[in-house]
Amino acid sequence: MRCIQPSYVKNFRCDGKLCEARCCRDWRIVVDDDAFEKYSNLPDAAREKVFENLDWVEDEQEDVDVLVLKLREDGVCSFLGKDCLCKLQKHYGEDYLTAICQSYPRVTYRLDDEIFEQSMTLTCPIAAHLILFPTTPMTFEETQEVSARAIIGFKQKLSRPVDEFIKLQMDAIKILQDRNLPVNQRLKKICAMFENLPEYEFDIERHTAALIDVFANTYNANLSKNKKLELRQNYLTYRDEILNKTYGAFGHMLENYLVNEFFMRCYPSAFSGGDFHNIKIFVTGFKVLEFALVLTVIAKKKLNLDEVTTLIYSVNDMLDHSRGGMDAIIDFAKTCDSKTFAELMLED
């Protein structure tokens, strides 16, 4: 077995006291067969207490009932203690967590029968610190085990041999980590890996208009014409100054975000469609993050380490967990041919 992962994965330790157990609320967590068997084999009193906090609900997609962890009226998991620690893990051990709870925030793909990739999502604040804060480039390693039970089958999505896919990923990540180039040049070079780009001229006006529309659709915001004009004017006025200062102070965090995003979502095969379609989604998603960053600085008049972290966390959460978040970016990528996309998103 081979598991390729960023080196930070081995350093992760879940501690709800550090993040107020944000993942233990507002989620429907299905009890997998392995966890159900463990709960069923507990001593009578313990088994009864555990099953009091489980509930059968209808899965509308599959048209079957599934067993889930109960949530309290405030949306918090019924197994979460006042100390922000899971009672199941505290009393019985990590093996008694559901597969989803045991695996989060790890994201694990099975690329082939014996080849896996594992990383972490930025929606976990503790993982976000491990991913974003290091000032040295992210490194990768191979291990002989997979530390997560929830595994996503990815073999059918690959359009090339696994080893070729992994090499392509790592070649792209080397470009993303090339600190001799500004980030815009790195993104342009990534695009050129997957598409023979035509001659074009980047159009800042159309770039801004496109970002406002994608941003509005991502956040499901019905912006008036006047509001769009205000955003356009503010963005064009302040973007260069803000981005220059941000990359000067926090460029390593944005690089780490790009590298983790590329690896964690398994680009260039993250979504249905060809390689370049996926790369358009990747670049556009990052440009939405830049746009949100500029708006945040305009509103707050400053940007510090915690605010950058919170911004990246919130944008990533929006793309992953809000209805239509990533769909807006995917839809935009579908509408752009190579020349149009380059004119709108590939700045020199």
Side-chain angles (χ1 to χ4, degrees):
M1 178 190 297
R2 295 169 57 201
C3 181
I4 304 161
Q5 62 186 32
S7 300
Y8 68 72
V9 172
K10 65 177 180 292
N11 298 321
F12 176 78
R13 298 291 181 275
C14 180
D15 189 342
K17 292 180 289 187
L18 296 178
C19 65
E20 299 179 348
R22 295 188 195 182
C23 62
C24 299
R25 60 193 75 229
D26 300 324
W27 293 104
R28 190 181 75 171
I29 303 298
V30 176
V31 178
D32 56 286
D33 293 343
D34 182 55
F36 179 79
E37 183 177 356
K38 285 184 169 67
Y39 302 160
S40 299
N41 290 326
L42 286 168
D44 291 348
R47 182 176 67 248
E48 182 177 345
K49 194 168 184 179
V50 168
F51 274 87
E52 284 177 356
N53 292 295
L54 306 181
D55 197 13
W56 289 97
V57 299
E58 183 181 0
D59 186 323
E60 296 180 357
Q61 290 184 339
E62 300 294 334
D63 196 27
V64 295
D65 288 342
V66 293
L67 190 64
V68 301
L69 307 185
K70 276 186 182 178
L71 299 181
R72 300 196 295 260
E73 289 185 1
D74 59 0
V76 174
C77 178
S78 57
F79 287 107
L80 186 67
K82 293 181 179 179
D83 56 2
C84 284
L85 297 177
C86 176
K87 295 176 183 177
L88 285 171
Q89 181 170 351
K90 193 173 182 179
H91 294 309
Y92 308 114
E94 185 177 321
D95 287 346
Y96 280 77
L97 295 174
T98 67
I100 294 173
C101 294
Q102 183 272 338
S103 301
Y104 182 83
R106 302 170 188 87
V107 179
T108 310
Y109 294 100
R110 183 192 296 271
L111 304 185
D112 208 341
D113 293 341
E114 295 295 323
I115 302 177
F116 300 79
E117 286 189 347
Q118 183 166 264
S119 55
M120 291 188 175
T121 171
L122 289 160
T123 55
C124 167
I126 297 174
H129 283 208
L130 289 173
I131 295 165
L132 298 174
F133 280 21
T135 57
T136 55
M138 190 180 297
T139 59
F140 293 80
E141 62 186 17
E142 287 194 16
T143 69
Q144 301 301 312
E145 61 180 20
V146 175
S147 56
R149 299 205 321 261
I151 297 173
I152 303 167
F154 207 73
K155 185 176 180 179
Q156 299 302 318
K157 293 190 72 173
L158 295 181
S159 59
R160 52 177 55 88
V162 173
D163 287 338
E164 182 181 331
F165 171 76
I166 294 171
K167 183 180 184 305
L168 197 61
Q169 271 193 319
M170 292 303 159
D171 287 346
I173 285 171
K174 285 180 182 177
I175 294 173
L176 293 173
Q177 294 180 321
D178 184 355
R179 296 184 179 182
N180 293 316
L181 297 174
V183 166
N184 283 330
Q185 287 293 320
R186 301 182 213 179
L187 295 177
K188 187 174 179 179
K189 199 170 179 180
I190 289 284
C191 288
M193 279 184 64
F194 298 95
E195 182 77 358
N196 184 18
L197 295 174
E199 290 187 10
Y200 71 94
E201 184 174 342
F202 177 72
D203 189 328
I204 185 62
E205 295 279 353
R206 291 170 61 207
H207 169 75
T208 303
L211 279 181
I212 290 172
D213 286 341
V214 175
F215 184 83
N217 291 334
T218 298
Y219 282 84
N220 196 26
N222 186 17
L223 301 180
S224 67
K225 183 178 180 180
N226 287 339
K227 185 61 177 178
K228 287 185 177 182
L229 287 173
E230 178 188 345
L231 287 176
R232 173 186 169 279
Q233 185 60 46
N234 284 335
Y235 187 72
L236 288 172
T237 300
Y238 298 109
R239 72 180 291 271
D240 288 348
E241 178 185 355
I242 290 172
L243 290 179
N244 286 337
K245 289 181 177 179
T246 301
Y247 277 106
F250 307 111
H252 63 284
M253 298 179 72
L254 296 172
E255 176 190 296
N256 290 336
Y257 170 83
L258 281 166
V259 171
N260 197 71
E261 183 80 353
F262 199 92
F263 185 81
M264 186 266 294
R265 294 193 192 275
C266 276
Y267 283 108
S269 299
F271 303 97
S272 59
D275 290 346
F276 187 57
H277 173 66
N278 272 267
I279 298 305
K280 288 189 290 184
I281 296 169
F282 172 69
V283 172
T284 304
F286 182 69
K287 290 299 177 180
V288 168
L289 173 63
E290 276 192 347
F291 185 78
L293 189 151
V294 171
L295 296 187
T296 299
V297 177
I298 291 172
K300 295 188 174 184
K301 310 299 183 186
K302 62 184 178 69
L303 197 68
N304 59 34
L305 182 68
D306 289 338
E307 286 168 338
V308 173
T309 306
T310 300
L311 174 69
I312 293 175
Y313 171 90
S314 63
V315 171
N316 208 73
D317 190 53
M318 172 62 67
L319 295 181
D320 278 348
H321 298 139
S322 297
R323 180 177 297 176
M326 187 61 81
D327 289 346
I329 293 173
I330 293 172
D331 289 344
F332 170 78
K334 287 178 180 177
T335 66
C336 296
D337 59 23
S338 301
K339 190 171 189 295
T340 301
F341 181 77
E343 291 170 344
L344 296 180
M345 292 295 160
L346 297 185
E347 189 173 357
D348 289 331

